[in-house]
Amino acid sequence: MNTLSRRKRQVIALLLDAIVLPAALWSAFVLRLGELNPDVGHFWPAFVVCVLIAIPAFVRLGLYRQVIRYMGVHAMRTVIQGTAIAALAVAITPYMFHLDGFPRSVPIIFWMLALCYVAGSRFAVRAYINRRSGRAARSGVLIFGAGKTGVELARLMVQQGEYQPVAFLDDDVRWQRSTIDGIYVYGRDDLPRLLRESTVNQVFVALSDAQARRNVVEFLAQFSVRVRLVPDIAGLVSGQQSLAKLQDVSIEDLLGRDEVEGLPHLLEQQVVDANVLVTGAGGSIGSELCRQILRLRPKTLVLLEQSEFGIYEIQRELEAKAEEEGLPAPLIAVLGTVLDTALLQRTMRRYRIHTVYHAAAYKHVSLVENNVIQGLKNNTFGTLYAAQAAMDCGVKHFILISTDKAVRTSSVMGASKRLAEMVLQALQEESHDTCFSMVRFGNVLGSSGSVVPLFNEQIECGGPVTVTHPEVTRYFMSIPEAAQLVLQASALARGGDVFLLDMGQPIKIVDLARRMIHLQGLTVKDEDHPSGDIEIVFTGLKPGEKLHEELLLGGDVTGTEHRKIMRARESSIPWTELRGALYTLEEACATFDYDAVMRFIQGLVDGGDLEAQLGELFQVAEVVHLPVNKSSD
């Protein structure tokens, strides 16, 4: 049947109806007259009329456009209407052809039988197709959620034949121990037994409530079953989405972070009707800042990025979004680096920038560890040049995107970002018009440097999954959440502020790896399970990498009006003292004096207090015989 063209299948359905309709009328006579072989030859016009009227009616109503495999309520409505028209025609026929003795109850009986014959023949074909598809299904599936979404999902599985629903799971005791569409409903405690006794390797979560879905995902993470979410049952029913393309559990579902609605007055304060510049606009955080800023309707949004591909992609995406949603903000793409002071000043002056979100940075710890001078130039001096340009051009707000790696850092990347923070804290004392602030947070999910894409890639390739250390932990936050909190923190700035974002509890990376393996339906291969699917290999900490990250240098932290944004009070170094040390470092970078640069930042990497670190900086300046000027710019 599946090999026939659509037109041939329609012709077969029409011929089948031409047979079952007269059969239904003959059966009506049998029931009415009580004879197995009634003499109805002289009533032949009624048999012809029921076909000649019903078939065109079915065509007109669209019955033959229905795909039998997916027949549902709409098709049944069409059958009822078509057979009713045929029954009415049969009722009129005796009067038109003067058929004496024609029983008046036959049209009513015929209607009911025709309904059963026409619809029944189609449902029988559908059951046959589904049974054959069910035998070829790739795997059995458990559906968590026996509500409307779960039931619709099970019906789609039966129709499409890609998966075979084995059982429902539901926490609602009202559904448990019952049967829905022939599928038994179990409680979650029955899952271990179901996995042992069947070949099921997937669980589809058909729950609409976000908290309930998160709770179920957390429960399922301990089992080696692939977990997939059903977010849009309407899309599946309409055919816009395929069961094969349902989304796997995301890292956000694994970590279980609560979404917090943004405070509109904080989100809009530095953006609405303002000229906004985002540096590093093609990066993970920079691009998300641009997306959210665009929706807030700035007067002008300026994108600064040194990667041609990166700025091209984000500009194209934002222009499409602006056109689709009718957003009026003009977009300006500036290709260049934050090390170009002339470009920075020209851009800020030309577009009269009000707010700068400085997201441009090299962020990969191991990469910066092997490219020390470039990391310092981009992260530290890029921030210095951008901040000085903002002061010169009268920018009102300058917000630095910082990192938890700047706290008691053990890496060059962290040291470069800590120096960038110190620059802004020092410049704030010299600035009368520009408000400097910085927002410090940990890892963001889905960025190019995150372990999550790496783990997914390693799992897809069959392993092993590489983790640096059994005890290593990290904070995680989604990119949209981080960007939204950065926008709100900028509205709370008073000058020189260090804002900390609530990252929740740190996550043990090896536990994250295990859960990701389990949720793909695989098992961890270790000493206790030598026949497992994916092995976890510990590679050792990379240079500059720490076991645990921190967000706070000291213990002085206060809350703000946003419950996920905190303000830290940290000691700083006056600009009159810091600028000489920066000049020394800049000279060492310019001459590629790698040893001097490394000695210069050693105090920061060692994690001592700021005064001691500053002393180290000036001692190094004297050792390398570079000029130090504490009192001049």
Side-chain angles (χ1 to χ4, degrees):
M1 189 84 174
N2 288 335
T3 60
L4 298 177
S5 68
R6 180 171 176 78
R7 177 63 62 184
K8 289 181 179 179
R9 280 179 281 181
Q10 289 175 332
V11 171
I12 291 173
L14 188 149
L15 293 175
L16 182 62
D17 289 340
I19 295 172
V20 299
L21 286 167
L25 182 56
W26 182 82
S27 300
F29 279 110
V30 170
L31 292 175
R32 171 63 182 81
L33 301 176
E35 301 177 9
L36 289 177
N37 190 21
D39 183 13
V40 292
H42 56 293
F43 295 144
W44 66 266
F47 288 87
V48 175
V49 166
C50 75
V51 175
L52 293 180
I53 297 298
I55 298 297
F58 287 153
V59 171
R60 180 70 177 173
L61 292 169
L63 179 62
Y64 299 114
R65 292 194 298 270
Q66 299 281 341
V67 180
I68 291 178
R69 185 173 182 175
Y70 303 124
M71 264 190 64
V73 175
H74 179 74
M76 272 303 300
R77 191 180 300 119
T78 300
V79 173
I80 292 172
Q81 293 172 347
T83 52
I85 293 171
L88 181 62
V90 169
I92 297 173
T93 300
Y95 299 101
M96 294 178 62
F97 292 91
H98 305 290
L99 303 178
D100 297 331
F102 194 96
R104 288 177 293 180
S105 59
V106 163
I108 297 175
I109 301 172
F110 163 72
W111 180 41
M112 292 186 290
L113 291 176
L115 180 63
C116 294
Y117 284 20
V118 173
S121 63
R122 281 164 170 76
F123 282 114
V125 172
R126 191 184 79 167
Y128 172 74
I129 294 173
N130 289 338
R131 191 181 306 113
R132 290 192 62 185
S133 300
R135 295 193 195 106
R138 289 181 296 193
S139 60
V141 171
L142 297 175
I143 300 175
F144 206 114
K148 180 180 177 181
T149 301
V151 173
E152 289 287 347
L153 177 64
R155 290 171 179 169
L156 279 170
M157 287 181 178
V158 172
Q159 291 172 5
Q160 296 185 11
E162 295 176 81
Y163 301 98
Q164 181 66 35
V166 174
F168 286 114
L169 295 168
D170 204 291
D171 290 328
D172 192 334
V173 294
R174 294 176 300 173
W175 298 112
Q176 294 173 11
R177 309 297 179 256
S178 63
T179 300
I180 302 175
D181 282 355
I183 304 173
Y184 197 74
V185 183
Y186 295 89
R188 71 164 62 192
D189 293 339
D190 296 310
L191 179 59
R193 179 173 60 83
L194 289 171
L195 295 178
R196 287 195 306 269
E197 297 177 356
S198 68
T199 58
V200 168
N201 61 6
Q202 294 195 71
V203 177
F204 284 14
V205 180
L207 299 172
S208 56
D209 181 74
Q211 183 58 47
R213 188 167 59 241
R214 187 179 300 131
N215 177 274
V216 168
V217 169
E218 180 70 26
F219 166 71
L220 295 174
Q222 62 186 299
F223 302 99
S224 296
V225 290
R226 185 177 185 182
V227 179
R228 307 178 77 185
L229 304 181
V230 186
D232 181 20
I233 193 65
L236 292 173
V237 173
S238 65
Q240 296 176 353
Q241 189 175 6
S242 167
L243 285 172
K245 295 183 179 179
L246 290 186
Q247 66 186 59
D248 287 309
V249 173
S250 68
I251 189 65
E252 288 86 351
D253 297 301
L254 268 179
L255 300 180
R257 288 184 61 85
D258 294 325
E259 292 186 10
V260 177
E261 289 293 328
L263 303 179
H265 69 286
L266 294 181
L267 285 169
E268 299 171 355
Q269 187 167 317
Q270 308 301 343
V271 174
V272 174
D273 293 328
N275 298 319
V276 182
L277 168 65
V278 178
T279 69
S284 302
I285 292 294
S287 61
E288 182 60 29
L289 282 170
C290 291
R291 295 182 190 100
Q292 297 194 22
I293 290 170
L294 182 67
R295 287 195 291 268
L296 294 170
R297 298 176 180 268
K299 184 182 295 183
T300 306
L301 176 57
V302 182
L303 321 174
L304 177 64
E305 172 62 54
Q306 65 176 335
S307 166
E308 180 188 22
F309 177 76
I311 198 169
Y312 171 75
E313 285 294 300
I314 188 61
Q315 181 187 22
R316 188 177 65 168
E317 177 188 336
L318 294 177
E319 286 175 344
K321 178 74 68 179
E323 182 177 355
E324 177 185 341
E325 300 182 10
L327 301 172
L331 296 169
I332 309 296
V334 178
L335 186 61
T337 170
V338 290
L339 296 176
D340 189 338
T341 55
L343 176 66
L344 289 169
Q345 292 199 358
R346 180 179 180 275
T347 300
M348 292 182 191
R349 280 204 175 94
R350 180 177 181 182
Y351 300 109
R352 298 179 181 180
I353 298 299
H354 175 275
T355 306
V356 174
Y357 291 96
H358 184 57
Y362 294 149
K363 61 187 178 182
H364 294 274
V365 172
S366 58
L367 192 61
V368 175
E369 204 73 24
N370 294 321
N371 295 272
V372 175
I373 291 175
Q374 292 303 316
L376 283 168
K377 288 171 67 174
N378 192 69
N379 293 357
T380 301
F381 293 105
T383 301
L384 172 62
Y385 300 156
Q388 288 177 327
M391 291 173 64
D392 293 341
C393 299
V395 172
K396 295 300 180 183
H397 290 271
F398 186 101
I399 301 94
L400 168 68
I401 310 301
S402 191
T403 171
D404 56 357
K405 294 174 178 60
V407 178
R408 278 180 275 276
T409 183
S410 61
S411 67
V412 175
M413 193 282 278
S416 69
K417 294 296 284 185
R418 177 62 188 132
L419 277 170
E421 292 181 351
M422 294 164 65
V423 164
L424 295 193
Q425 290 171 318
L427 286 178
Q428 186 63 66
E429 301 300 323
E430 305 294 314
S431 174
H432 302 292
D433 299 319
T434 305
C435 175
F436 293 105
S437 60
M438 58 222 75
V439 184
R440 192 186 288 159
F441 53 91
N443 298 276
V444 288
L445 304 170
S447 71
S448 58
S450 172
V451 297
V452 175
L454 175 62
F455 285 175
N456 279 328
E457 181 181 337
Q458 290 173 337
I459 291 171
E460 289 177 5
C461 293
V465 171
T466 56
V467 178
T468 55
H469 192 280
E471 300 300 322
V472 69
T473 62
R474 290 292 180 267
Y475 291 100
F476 286 98
M477 176 179 285
S478 72
I479 294 175
E481 182 184 10
Q484 185 190 81
L485 291 175
V486 166
L487 293 176
Q488 294 174 91
S490 66
L492 299 170
R494 302 167 185 165
D497 309 79
V498 177
F499 291 108
L500 313 177
L501 303 187
D502 179 4
M503 301 290 295
Q505 295 300 315
I507 304 296
K508 204 170 183 179
I509 299 300
V510 67
D511 291 342
L512 177 63
R514 289 194 182 102
R515 293 164 81 182
M516 291 180 67
I517 292 170
H518 287 161
L519 290 172
Q520 289 294 321
L522 304 170
T523 57
V524 177
K525 181 179 180 180
D526 53 25
E527 292 182 357
D528 297 330
H529 305 89
S531 60
D533 301 303
I534 304 289
E535 185 180 8
I536 297 177
V537 175
F538 297 103
T539 59
L541 292 173
K542 298 177 182 177
E545 189 175 17
K546 295 195 295 185
L547 272 180
H548 312 291
E549 299 288 4
E550 305 169 86
L551 287 171
L552 187 62
L553 275 171
D556 192 358
V557 62
T558 58
T560 65
E561 62 179 285
H562 195 294
R563 68 181 180 89
K564 286 209 168 187
I565 302 174
M566 297 162 288
R567 179 182 281 106
R569 294 183 181 274
E570 296 180 354
S571 57
S572 60
I573 299 173
W575 177 244
T576 53
E577 299 180 17
L578 181 62
R579 61 185 172 185
L582 290 174
Y583 180 74
T584 302
L585 179 58
E586 188 175 26
E587 288 292 316
C589 288
T591 58
F592 284 87
D593 192 339
Y594 177 80
D595 292 336
V597 169
M598 289 306 297
R599 289 198 300 272
F600 189 96
I601 63 173
Q602 195 60 51
L604 287 171
V605 173
D606 287 342
D609 63 78
L610 288 177
E611 295 300 327
Q613 292 166 12
L614 187 61
E616 285 287 332
L617 299 183
F618 286 118
Q619 288 177 17
V620 170
E622 295 172 1
V623 168
V624 298
H625 305 294
L626 291 173
V628 177
N629 188 344
K630 296 186 182 181
S631 58
S632 63
D633 290 329

